Amino acid sequence: MRQAGTYSGIVSGGISGKTGPHLLPLARIKKIMKRSGEEVKMISGESPIVFSKACELFIKELTQRSWMVTIKGKTRTLSKEDVASAVMATDLFDFLVNLVSDSGGTHL
Amino acid sequence: MERGGTAGFNRFYKHAKSSSGLSIVHGGSSNSNNSNGFINNTANSNTMPPPCTVREQDQYMPIANVIRIMRRILPTHAKISDDAKETIQECVSEYISFITGEANERCQREQRKTITAEDVLWAMGKLGFDDYVEPLTVFLNRYRENENERTSLRAEPVLKRGIDYGIGSPIMMAPPYGQPGFHVGGHHQGIFDGATAMGGYFRDGPGGGAGGGSSSSQASLTNNFDPDPFVQYK
């Protein structure tokens, strides 16, 4: 029987306080990592944790760049086209070029 | 009833098609079962055969989480179109695959089987995401520190803290705050430690007394299990 108390507060508080609660589900990240190739065998426990933060940074950057495109127009709605423009304009996002130009077709 | 069931069944498929572009491969075979009865329809619609149909959402981060992160940096009045949300959702998965692929290649070159956090960070640096490497390294180090704190405190009670607290139960992560339920009698002088880890809290009463008598004269780690009362626990 574990006594809840100051210590457990420190443990959970410490983790949430310092590293923040994970915004993205680790199991899902792991699943996506495994899908990335047949040869992916084993994944260390920390890798999804690094990715959870990395994806957060990635989403923020992509969103921010897309929003910069949005506000050039008259609208306040971030659209798929804005995302596509941001991808085209950013070398770092070259790997997404096919995805943003293809997605129009598959979403019918 | 059957008609109703069928209509619902079709509606489900139509909805799935329009929102996600899934191709439902087994649609044909299910329709042919309609005439066999409502029960078959229900069985088919409830248990989607996994190999044919891949639920789109499995391949992506949950859209609610993605949206939550987006909203953190967008102004409050900003709106996001549904297709933008989905596109970014797909981009995230693509990003994970992209980085993992590179990390995995490095592992293969070095003949390692496990992709580690370092591999992931290395791959990010290589693929142009160097701006992320430093914050991620900080994040990872903090995570590791927290993990080490937790696990080291868990191990210590068995050896050291048992001296103070009398119970070396490994289940208790940190006895510093006392466990009223596990007193084991003050007269033992709390020299139970590693030995008590297994049966410490069974020792109240006469058995404990006997154990206490011998343990107080012994150094801690020699097995304080008095065989007689505790044989059953071995």
Side-chain angles (χ1 to χ4, degrees):
Chain A
M1 173 173 63
R2 192 150 62 101
Q3 297 285 331
T6 321
Y7 184 72
S8 41
I10 290 173
V11 172
S12 53
I15 289 181
S16 345
K18 288 182 183 174
T19 65
H22 296 132
L23 281 167
L24 296 170
L26 303 178
R28 188 71 63 88
I29 292 176
K30 200 165 174 178
K31 205 181 281 190
I32 297 174
M33 287 176 75
K34 293 207 155 185
R35 266 173 190 273
S36 70
E38 285 302 315
E39 321 81 29
V40 174
K41 292 192 181 76
M42 298 182 65
I43 298 171
S44 78
E46 291 174 333
S47 306
I49 288 174
V50 171
F51 263 121
S52 74
K53 190 68 180 173
C55 289
E56 190 189 321
L57 299 175
F58 174 76
I59 292 170
K60 285 182 174 172
E61 181 167 2
L62 182 55
T63 302
Q64 192 152 26
R65 288 179 184 270
S66 306
W67 182 248
M68 295 295 114
V69 177
T70 307
I71 58 179
K72 282 186 191 158
K74 303 276 184 190
T75 107
R76 287 290 175 262
T77 302
L78 198 161
S79 70
K80 181 167 67 101
E81 288 69 31
D82 300 331
V83 179
S85 297
V87 165
M88 300 303 174
T90 312
D91 288 345
L92 186 60
F93 295 153
D94 276 353
F95 68 99
L96 295 170
V97 162
N98 287 336
L99 184 64
V100 296
S101 49
D102 280 352
S103 60
T106 56
H107 274 241
L108 285 175
Chain B
M1 265 305 227
E2 277 187 35
R3 284 291 171 212
T6 307
F9 190 57
N10 288 338
R11 201 181 330 123
F12 171 75
Y13 274 179
K14 279 185 189 147
H15 180 264
K17 271 199 161 119
S18 62
S19 71
S20 66
L22 267 185
S23 58
I24 312 272
V25 174
H26 68 277
S29 60
S30 299
N31 284 336
S32 69
N33 281 337
N34 284 352
S35 57
N36 291 345
F38 183 71
I39 293 181
N40 284 343
N41 285 345
T42 311
N44 281 335
S45 62
N46 284 344
T47 61
M48 305 275 279
C52 319
T53 58
V54 176
R55 271 204 67 235
E56 176 194 67
Q57 295 307 310
D58 268 3
Q59 321 172 28
Y60 304 126
M61 288 292 115
I63 199 157
N65 301 41
V66 173
I67 295 169
R68 201 179 306 147
I69 297 173
M70 291 175 75
R71 293 222 181 272
R72 286 186 171 192
I73 55 152
L74 289 175
T76 36
H77 62 274
K79 295 190 184 1
I80 313 171
S81 74
D82 284 347
D83 53 8
K85 292 171 188 169
E86 288 184 7
T87 302
I88 294 202
Q89 207 188 6
E90 293 167 15
C91 288
V92 177
S93 295
E94 191 67 25
Y95 172 66
I96 295 174
S97 297
F98 184 49
I99 302 286
T100 303
E102 192 66 34
N104 192 39
E105 269 182 39
R106 184 198 199 201
C107 283
Q108 290 188 317
R109 277 197 305 270
E110 300 181 0
Q111 295 181 333
R112 284 182 286 114
K113 288 197 180 137
T114 308
I115 299 179
T116 65
E118 276 74 21
D119 293 326
V120 172
L121 290 173
W122 174 87
M124 286 191 193
K126 178 158 186 283
L127 294 171
F129 292 90
D130 6 304
D131 287 344
Y132 293 10
V133 172
E134 195 182 318
L136 290 176
T137 306
V138 169
F139 179 79
L140 182 60
N141 288 337
R142 280 195 194 145
Y143 169 79
R144 284 174 173 166
E145 277 170 25
N146 284 331
E147 284 302 292
N148 286 341
E149 273 174 25
R150 288 200 305 137
T151 51
S152 66
L153 280 169
R154 203 181 285 145
E156 273 185 28
V158 176
L159 299 172
K160 290 186 195 167
R161 295 179 192 266
I163 295 173
D164 297 328
Y165 309 111
I167 303 289
S169 166
I171 298 169
M172 310 292 294
M173 290 221 290
Y177 303 99
Q179 306 92 38
F182 299 97
H183 59 288
V184 188
H187 59 281
H188 295 307
Q189 297 166 5
I191 306 195
F192 295 118
D193 32 55
T196 54
M198 285 196 279
Y201 40 89
F202 294 113
R203 288 198 185 191
D204 34 7
S214 55
S215 71
S216 56
S217 56
Q218 289 174 13
S220 35
L221 287 176
T222 54
N223 195 345
N224 289 336
F225 276 92
D226 301 281
D228 302 334
F230 298 109
V231 158
Q232 52 185 315
Y233 300 126
K234 293 224 170 141

